[in-house]
């Protein structure tokens, strides 16, 4: 069941047959930290020159956007994800290009944000987001994945943000959780329906 799906954006009938895009993907375990008011470090993480306008599509995967102890290890605090989303939006607002958030989901401490240059939005279609908790009993979202699938210029793209068990001794558990994620996340519609 989708927790977040954007309204269907009709694709232009004149989709270019070939489009070269610059893509940024980044993952970061923020260990419960809140974003700083000064976003220059965040901007430099995306681009060493601090100029994010070079990218057409950006996908941000964060882990532990909230402290994972007590109740906060099992209940999503949407304010924590919203703070990180706001920080990324401020980075892109300073760019000379307009970007749009086309997908965002937080499951406990797992965060996925997809941003696209405004001029590419008419060529974006079939955007879907799914979650797959693998924490205690496969019901708790402190571990697991948030995945997004969409088409851009007719090409299917899937992005997965995972937070799996740490420690070398838990490699069997990580492998099992990975298998669960790729078999349980389904995207109905055109093309392949799973991760």
């Amino acid at each position: 069941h989708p927790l977040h799906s954007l309204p269907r954006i009709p694709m232009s009938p004149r989709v270019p047959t070939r489009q070269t895009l610059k893509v940024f993907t980044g993952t970061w375990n923020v260990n419960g930290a809140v974003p700083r008011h000064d976003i220059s470090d965040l901007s430099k993480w995306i681009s060493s020159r601090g100029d994010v306008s070079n990218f057409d599509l950006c996908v941000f995967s964060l882990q532990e956007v909230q402290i994972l102890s007590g109740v906060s290890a099992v209940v999503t605090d949407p304010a924590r994800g919203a703070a990180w989303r706001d920080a990324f939006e401020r980075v892109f607002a300073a760019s000379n290009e307009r970007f749009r958030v086309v997908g965002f989901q937080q499951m406990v401490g797992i965060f996925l944000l997809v941003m696209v240059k405004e001029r590419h939005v008419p060529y974006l279609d079939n955007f879907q987001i799914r979650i797959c908790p693998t924490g205690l009993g496969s019901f708790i979202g402190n571990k697991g994945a948030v995945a997004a699938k969409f088409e851009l210029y007719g090409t299917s793209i899937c992005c997965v943000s995972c937070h799996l068990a740490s420690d070398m001794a838990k490699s069997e558990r990580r492998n099992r959780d990975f298998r669960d994620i790729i078999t349980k996340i389904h995207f109905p519609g055109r093309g392949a329906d799973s991760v």
Side-chain angles (χ1 to χ4, degrees):
H1 294 39
L3 288 185
H4 182 283
S5 289
L6 293 175
R8 184 163 157 61
I9 302 170
M11 281 188 45
S12 167
R14 298 181 314 269
V15 176
T17 56
R18 187 172 179 102
Q19 184 74 20
T20 301
L21 301 175
K22 289 188 179 181
V23 178
F24 174 88
T25 59
T27 185
W28 183 12
N29 185 323
V30 298
N31 195 28
V34 295
R36 297 180 187 168
H37 180 71
D38 176 6
I39 56 171
S40 61
D41 286 345
L42 194 54
S43 181
K44 288 179 184 165
W45 176 57
I46 301 165
S47 171
S48 60
R49 295 187 319 255
D51 180 13
V52 296
S53 66
N54 291 328
F55 298 105
D56 297 288
L57 168 66
C58 296
V59 180
F60 303 102
S61 165
L62 303 181
Q63 300 81 41
E64 298 185 21
V65 295
Q66 63 190 55
I67 302 293
L68 297 179
S69 64
V71 173
S72 66
V74 295
V75 177
T76 299
D77 178 357
R80 297 302 292 264
W84 280 102
R85 175 183 168 159
D86 177 64
F88 283 112
E89 287 183 305
R90 285 186 287 131
V91 167
F92 285 87
S95 167
N96 59 3
E97 292 269 359
R98 290 185 48 128
F99 284 81
R100 184 187 300 182
V101 171
V102 294
F104 167 71
Q105 184 67 54
Q106 177 188 353
M107 178 181 71
V108 187
I110 305 168
F111 170 103
L112 181 67
L113 176 69
V114 181
M115 299 181 77
V116 176
K117 264 187 189 166
E118 189 73 36
R119 69 174 176 247
H120 300 301
V121 171
Y123 304 102
L124 179 75
D125 196 24
N126 198 29
F127 196 101
Q128 301 174 62
I129 289 185
R130 299 289 185 270
I131 64 167
C132 182
T134 63
L136 185 63
S138 292
F139 292 106
I140 306 300
N142 63 320
K143 301 292 183 192
V146 176
K149 182 180 178 191
F150 54 96
E151 294 168 25
L152 188 57
Y153 293 99
T155 298
S156 183
I157 299 170
C158 184
C159 313
V160 182
S161 177
C162 291
H163 189 220
L164 304 176
S166 62
D167 194 320
M168 288 300 292
K170 296 181 183 173
S171 63
E172 189 174 309
R173 165 78 192 266
R174 277 192 302 279
N175 290 335
R176 185 185 76 228
D177 289 348
F178 174 77
R179 285 189 301 276
D180 285 350
I181 290 165
I182 62 172
T183 57
K184 290 180 180 178
I185 292 181
H186 293 276
F187 298 98
R190 296 186 297 261
D193 71 345
S194 64
V195 175

